[in-house]
Amino acid sequence: MIGKLTGTIDAIGTGHVIVDVGGGGYEANASARTLRGLKVGEAASLAIETHVREDAIRLYGFASEVERAWFRTLQTIQGVGAKVALAVLSTLSPQDLGQAIALQNWAAVEQSPGVGKKLAQRIVAELKDKALSVAGLNVAAAGRKAGSPPVENDAAAEAISALTNLGYQPAQASQAVAAALAELGEAADTPKLIRRGLKELAR
């Protein structure tokens, strides 16, 4: 299975890219957001998801591991295949998608081509509890990553780490969690701090 491609961008088409790796061209489907960040002739590295079927092997390329993780997770929802998952990731960045799910903002997900109201509602409802793990939250070590701002409790540390992994700057995440703590109190758990922090960052 191919998990990563590093090479030169040979061509960019509608919904796909060809990466030249040592003289061989690998075609990978990709979100519009990922394709916008690539340029023909330039070096690039893509996280790859490989789908093997009886009649074909398809590669899906992503600008980051977080985007690939969302691609996998979206497909755990009934009615969401690779095409719809890419459409969602073309419309929303991993950060925006995580925020939409945490805030149960199905209307943001509904903006994706091929996603209706009912499917958007199902996505945000069923992925609510998975958003933190996709963001890379490690409960045991989240508050002790290098460069994390000092905090007074583990829940706050974990919330800051999760928001940082969603794409926010550490200073922004720290301020948002501080505001959440001030409103919810020191006894608030990690999920509550993250949801309140996201509302603060969405202002």
Side-chain angles (χ1 to χ4, degrees), residues 178-185 196 200 203:
L181 278 171
E183 180 176 321
L184 301 176
R196 184 62 189 85
E200 187 72 22
R203 289 182 177 179

Side-chain angles (χ1 to χ4, degrees), residues 21-110:
V21 181
Y26 291 84
E27 180 177 327
N29 296 293
S31 69
R33 188 174 298 276
T34 290
L35 293 175
R36 285 196 294 270
L38 303 174
K39 291 184 179 180
V40 174
E42 291 190 356
S45 183
L46 296 175
I48 297 294
E49 180 75 3
T50 305
H51 284 191
V52 179
R53 306 191 187 284
E54 289 184 3
D55 58 344
I57 297 176
R58 295 185 182 277
L59 304 181
Y60 296 88
F62 305 94
S64 68
E65 290 291 343
V66 172
E67 187 182 21
R68 180 170 68 170
W70 274 120
F71 178 73
R72 291 173 173 172
T73 303
L74 282 165
Q75 291 178 82
T76 65
I77 304 299
Q78 182 181 358
V80 178
K83 183 177 180 180
V84 171
L86 281 182
V88 172
L89 292 169
S90 292
T91 303
L92 300 171
S93 68
Q95 175 183 325
D96 292 336
L97 178 57
Q99 180 170 300
I101 291 171
L103 300 179
Q104 294 293 283
N105 180 12
W106 58 264
V109 180
E110 189 188 14

Side-chain angles (χ1 to χ4, degrees), residues 147-150 160 163-164 167-179 200-201:
S148 293
I160 290 171
L163 292 175
T164 301
Y168 293 102
Q169 295 297 319
Q172 290 178 304
S174 183
Q175 290 172 2
V177 171
E200 187 72 22
L201 290 164

